[in-house]
Amino acid sequence: MPRRRNPCSYLPRRLQIVTSLAAFLLFSILFLGTAQSDPYVKAVPYGPQLQSGAHQAVDAAQRAVQSFPKLPKNVVNAPAWLNPFGPPAHKPAEQKNSTMGEAKWFSDWKWQNPFSSSITMDEDRSVLPPERARPPIYTYFDSSSKGKDEKTQKAEKQLLQVWRRAWWAKGFKPIVLGIAEAKNNAEYRKMQGLELTAEMEAEMLRWLAWGNLGPGILCNWLVLPMAGYDDALLGFLRRGEYPELTRYPGLDGAFYVGSKVAVDKTIKTALASENIKQVKTIVGAVPKNSFILDDKHDGIAYYSTAAIKAKYPGLHAKLDSEATRADGLSLLAPLINSHLHQAWQNTFPSGIAVLHPLPKRTTTIHTPAMYIARNLTQCPDSPVPASCPPNAATCRPCVATQDRPISTPPVYRNDSTLFTIASVPHPYTLISLLYSRSDLHVKFVRRETDRDPWISATTDELLGHGPSSFARLRPMKDAVASEYSAHRTLWLIAEKPLSVATEADREELDWFFGFQLPRAATSNGKSITPVPGPERRPSPPPLSPYHDSIEPPPTPEQLATEEGFLRDSTAAIMHAGMLKVKNVQRNKGVVEAWNLADAEIWRFVRAWEARRSVERKIWDEEEGKFLGKGVFGRWAV
C-alpha cells in the first residue's frame, strides 16, 4: 500500500512550521473560544468596554506625566544610538584652532559626559572644558640699547623670558609693553611738555603704556609669582575683576592692579599735579586715597635692589659695580629660576607619583614619566645655593641631603600634596604589551582579554570594584582637566609622550611648570663641594618605575621586547591610515570597540595635551608680532 504524504511536506521546513502554527491558532479561535451564553463572558471586558478602559488608562497616564516638573530638552544628552529611529543630527561646527595632528577637540561645558561622541558626533573628537580666560599682566621694558653692552642686553632678555614663563604657568597672559604703547596714549603729548625727573619719566611711560591697553595688572619684570597655583592672591588676580586701583606696600610701586577707568583717571590727576616735577613715583603725585592698599602679597616675590642687597650680598656686589653689572644680571636669571623650582617643590611635600597601573610588562610606557619626575626632584643650578626667595623669610631650600620621594602607585590618588605624572596607553598598546603579541584579531580580543583594564585598575582605590568602566570615565576626566587637578597632574599619551629628547619638548615642559627643568640629573646644595666630581655627586633617583613595586624589575631582554611592541603599536595607532598592512586598521577598531572607556580617556588626554600646546603657541605667535625678532626688534632672546 503506498504511503500517504503530508501535503505540508511539499513546503520548505521553515514554512511548514509557520503553517502549522497558523493552523493551530485558527483551530483554537474557532473551536475553543467561549460562546456568548458562557456565564463568564460578561465578566471579561470586550468591544466598547475594552476600548473605554484603554482610553481611561491613557488619560490617567497623560495626567501623571503632565504633573511631572518640566525639564529643558538639553538636559538629557542621550547617545544617538539609543534611538536609532530618531532623526539624524548634524555634527557641531568645528571650532577654530581645534586640531593638532591626529588630535581633535571641541570645547564645551558638557565635557564631563562619559563619551564625547554623543556630543561631537565624531569618534575621534574629544570634548574638553572651555579654555580658562587668562587675564593680561603687563610689564614695561625699555628696549633702548643706549649705554648697554651686548651681555647686559642678553641678560635682561633672559630675565624677561623667565618673567613670561612664570606668569604663564600660573594662568596669566604676560604682555611686554614698550615706548610704542606709551606714545599711543592720548596723554603722552601732555607729558612731553613737562620737565620730569628721569625716574618720574620712566614711571609715567609705563603707566601710559598700561593705560593704552588696561585694565589688568602692571608689574615690574623682576616681580614673579612665588607660590602654588591656588595661592589666594593669585586666585583673586586670575578672576580678572579689579574694581579698585590697588597697590601693594612692600613691593615699592612694582605691582599695581586696577580698571582702565581708574588708571586713566590716575594718569590725568598725576599730570595735572603741581608737584609732579619734584616726585619720583606716581604715588607721590596723586592724593593718598587714589589707591587701595593690600599688604597680603606673600605669594609674590620682588627682586628689588634692596632685597638683593639684604639676601644675596655677593650678587649685589656684582650688580653694584659697572664693571661686573652684566655678570650680575646673567646670574640673576638662574637664581630666580631655582627659586621658582624650589617653590614648586615645596607645594608638593609628598613628592611625585608616577602612575603605574598594571606594572607587569609595561615599564617602557612609564619610563619618560620617570625621567620627568627625576628631573623635577633634582636641585636646580643656582649661583646662591640653598637660598630663599625675597618673599620668604624662611623656607625649605633644595639641598642634596633632603629626601624628595618618587613613588609609583598602581592607582590614582587624589592628594593635594602629591603631584601625579601619568602616561596613558592606547588599549591597542596596552594589550600588545600585556600579552606580548601584535596580532590582535577579533577572536583573541573578545575571548582572551578583559575590557577596559587600564581605567579599572587606575580608579580601583578611588571608586572600588563596583562601578562599571563607563561610570569611571567622569572621575577620570575630572582628574585630568578639572580646575582643581589641572595644575596638580601631568597627563601624557604613551605613544607620543612629551619626550625629553628634543629641546622643543623640554621647552614645552618648562612653560607648563613655569621654570626651566634641569637638563641633567644633578643636585645643588650645601653638601656640594665647589668643584664636585662625578664620584662626589649624590646619586639620582632610580629611573626604573619598579623601585617600590612588588613586581621584579624587567631584564634588558624584556625591555627590548617591550620597546619593539611599543614601536609597532605606535605605528598602528598614529599612522594606521598610511600603513600597507590590511588588518591593522580593522584590529585597531576591534580593540577600541572592546575597550570603549580606555579608548575614550586616551583620546581625551591626547586632546588635552594638544590643546595646551596649541594655546601657548598661538599666544607666542601673536606676541611675536610685537617682539620683532629682526633688525628692528624691540626685544628677543
Side-chain angles (χ1 to χ4, degrees):
M1 183 177 182
R3 176 180 160 186
R4 287 186 173 182
R5 296 179 62 87
N6 184 358
C8 293
S9 63
Y10 294 99
L11 301 176
R13 181 157 186 82
R14 291 185 180 180
L15 192 58
Q16 291 180 30
I17 296 174
V18 173
T19 305
S20 301
L21 289 176
F24 176 77
L25 290 174
L26 183 62
F27 176 83
S28 300
I29 293 172
L30 293 176
F31 298 101
L32 301 181
T34 57
Q36 294 291 335
S37 59
D38 196 327
Y40 295 101
V41 170
K42 296 181 179 179
V44 179
Y46 70 95
Q49 296 178 357
L50 186 62
Q51 186 177 10
S52 176
H55 283 305
Q56 292 177 5
V58 171
D59 293 340
Q62 289 178 347
R63 288 193 298 271
V65 170
Q66 291 174 358
S67 65
F68 292 160
K70 299 297 182 182
L71 296 176
K73 294 182 179 180
N74 59 355
V75 168
V76 181
N77 297 304
W81 54 266
L82 289 179
N83 185 16
F85 301 104
H90 288 284
K91 295 181 181 180
E94 184 173 329
Q95 297 170 337
K96 186 179 180 181
N97 299 317
S98 61
T99 60
M100 181 182 177
E102 298 292 329
K104 299 187 291 184
W105 59 89
F106 180 79
S107 299
D108 193 88
W109 288 110
K110 293 178 284 189
W111 63 276
Q112 291 177 316
N113 269 29
F115 291 99
S116 299
S117 58
S118 63
I119 298 172
T120 63
M121 308 300 172
D122 184 351
E123 289 292 337
D124 293 326
R125 189 175 296 275
S126 297
V127 180
L128 300 180
E131 289 184 347
R132 301 178 184 91
R134 290 177 174 268
I137 180 168
Y138 305 101
T139 192
Y140 183 86
F141 177 69
D142 181 10
S143 59
S144 173
S145 59
K146 184 178 180 180
K148 299 178 183 178
D149 58 16
E150 185 177 350
K151 191 173 183 179
T152 299
Q153 295 179 52
K154 183 178 179 180
E156 289 180 343
K157 293 170 183 178
Q158 287 177 342
L159 287 168
L160 276 173
Q161 194 74 343
V162 170
W163 177 85
R164 298 171 78 227
R165 187 169 53 212
W167 283 105
W168 176 267
K170 299 304 181 185
F172 297 87
K173 184 184 291 185
I175 299 175
V176 181
L177 306 178
I179 188 65
E181 286 80 13
K183 289 181 178 180
N184 202 35
N185 195 307
E187 301 297 322
Y188 178 75
R189 288 183 177 273
K190 187 181 294 185
M191 188 206 74
Q192 287 293 92
L194 301 174
E195 297 180 358
L196 305 179
T197 61
E199 294 84 358
M200 188 61 188
E201 184 177 356
E203 176 82 346
M204 287 307 304
L205 284 174
R206 60 196 291 257
W207 273 77
L208 289 170
W210 183 26
N212 184 51
L213 274 76
I217 309 165
L218 176 67
C219 80
N220 189 288
W221 41 279
L222 292 177
V223 175
L224 295 106
M226 203 66 64
Y229 186 90
D230 51 1
D231 177 76
L233 176 58
L234 297 179
F236 160 72
L237 296 175
R238 272 195 302 271
R239 287 197 290 271
E241 299 175 358
Y242 320 115
E244 301 288 344
L245 188 61
T246 307
R247 69 181 182 92
Y248 296 82
L251 296 181
D252 301 329
F255 199 84
Y256 298 98
V257 171
S259 65
K260 182 172 176 55
V261 174
V263 172
D264 291 342
K265 180 181 178 181
T266 303
I267 292 173
K268 293 178 181 179
T269 303
L271 292 176
S273 175
E274 296 179 354
N275 63 338
I276 189 173
K277 297 181 182 181
Q278 289 78 37
V279 297
K280 295 183 179 181
T281 65
I282 200 169
V283 176
V286 297
K288 293 183 178 180
N289 60 357
S290 300
F291 296 91
I292 299 296
L293 303 183
D294 186 354
D295 57 358
K296 297 179 181 179
H297 49 79
D298 295 339
I300 294 177
Y302 179 30
Y303 289 80
S304 63
T305 302
I308 294 175
K309 182 178 181 180
K311 285 185 169 285
Y312 326 110
L315 180 59
H316 179 264
K318 289 182 176 291
L319 292 171
D320 197 39
S321 172
E322 284 294 332
T324 58
R325 176 173 171 77
D327 295 330
L329 281 174
S330 62
L331 294 175
L332 190 54
L335 175 65
I336 296 174
N337 185 78
S338 67
H339 290 164
L340 290 167
H341 191 167
Q342 176 181 296
W344 183 90
Q345 289 177 339
N346 293 339
T347 304
F348 302 100
S350 297
I352 300 175
V354 177
L355 190 61
H356 196 191
L358 307 171
K360 190 175 183 181
R361 300 175 181 171
T362 58
T363 305
T364 307
I365 292 177
H366 307 287
T367 299
M370 280 298 300
Y371 198 100
I372 296 171
R374 188 174 66 168
N375 284 343
L376 283 171
T377 55
Q378 295 305 297
C379 293
D381 292 331
S382 172
V384 188
S387 60
C388 297
N391 63 318
T394 59
C395 68
R396 186 187 178 193
C398 184
V399 294
T401 56
Q402 290 178 350
D403 181 25
R404 295 175 296 279
I406 299 177
S407 58
T408 56
V411 293
Y412 171 72
R413 296 191 173 108
N414 187 12
D415 187 349
S416 61
T417 64
L418 187 69
F419 187 84
T420 301
I421 306 177
S423 293
V424 183
H426 189 277
Y428 191 100
T429 300
L430 185 62
I431 294 177
S432 296
L433 291 173
L434 291 179
Y435 294 91
S436 298
R437 60 183 297 167
S438 55
D439 181 20
L440 304 181
H441 53 78
V442 179
K443 182 178 179 180
F444 169 76
V445 173
R446 177 64 181 84
R447 296 184 179 182
E448 303 294 334
T449 67
D450 297 326
R451 306 191 76 168
D452 302 309
W454 188 89
I455 196 170
S456 299
T458 301
T459 58
D460 185 54
E461 182 179 289
L462 188 67
L463 302 176
H465 300 288
S468 66
S469 56
F470 298 167
R472 299 173 188 271
L473 277 171
R474 178 168 181 170
M476 200 73 253
K477 289 185 177 182
D478 281 340
V480 175
S482 68
E483 189 172 2
Y484 171 82
S485 301
H487 60 279
R488 291 184 172 93
T489 57
L490 175 63
W491 299 83
L492 317 169
I493 59 170
E495 293 76 16
K496 192 179 178 182
L498 274 173
S499 173
V500 293
T502 65
E503 187 58 33
D505 293 331
R506 297 189 187 104
E507 186 179 355
E508 200 66 44
L509 285 174
D510 295 342
W511 284 90
F512 175 80
F513 289 105
F515 53 85
Q516 189 180 62
L517 273 70
R519 298 307 193 229
T522 59
S523 296
N524 281 328
K526 294 180 179 179
S527 64
I528 299 297
T529 57
V531 186
E535 71 282 354
R536 303 288 297 275
R537 290 282 189 185
S539 58
L543 187 59
S544 171
Y546 285 89
H547 67 275
D548 62 350
S549 173
I550 60 175
E551 292 287 338
T555 63
E557 292 77 12
Q558 291 173 334
L559 285 176
T561 302
E562 287 184 19
E563 291 173 359
F565 282 117
L566 180 59
R567 282 193 301 269
D568 293 343
S569 62
T570 299
I573 294 163
M574 309 303 287
H575 310 288
M578 295 183 290
L579 293 180
K580 296 182 179 180
V581 181
K582 296 181 180 180
N583 296 330
V584 168
Q585 189 70 24
R586 184 190 65 184
N587 292 344
K588 174 175 171 286
V590 167
V591 173
E592 290 179 348
W594 185 245
N595 300 274
L596 290 176
D598 277 4
E600 173 70 18
I601 196 63
W602 181 85
R603 294 191 197 99
F604 186 85
V605 169
R606 178 182 64 172
W608 176 253
E609 176 191 348
R611 192 183 72 172
R612 182 179 64 233
S613 178
V614 167
E615 180 189 13
R616 189 190 70 80
K617 290 178 180 178
I618 291 175
W619 163 78
D620 204 23
E621 290 176 2
E622 291 175 352
E623 283 299 292
K625 300 174 184 176
F626 305 99
L627 304 185
K629 299 178 180 178
V631 178
F632 304 103
R634 301 199 305 184
W635 73 274
V637 177

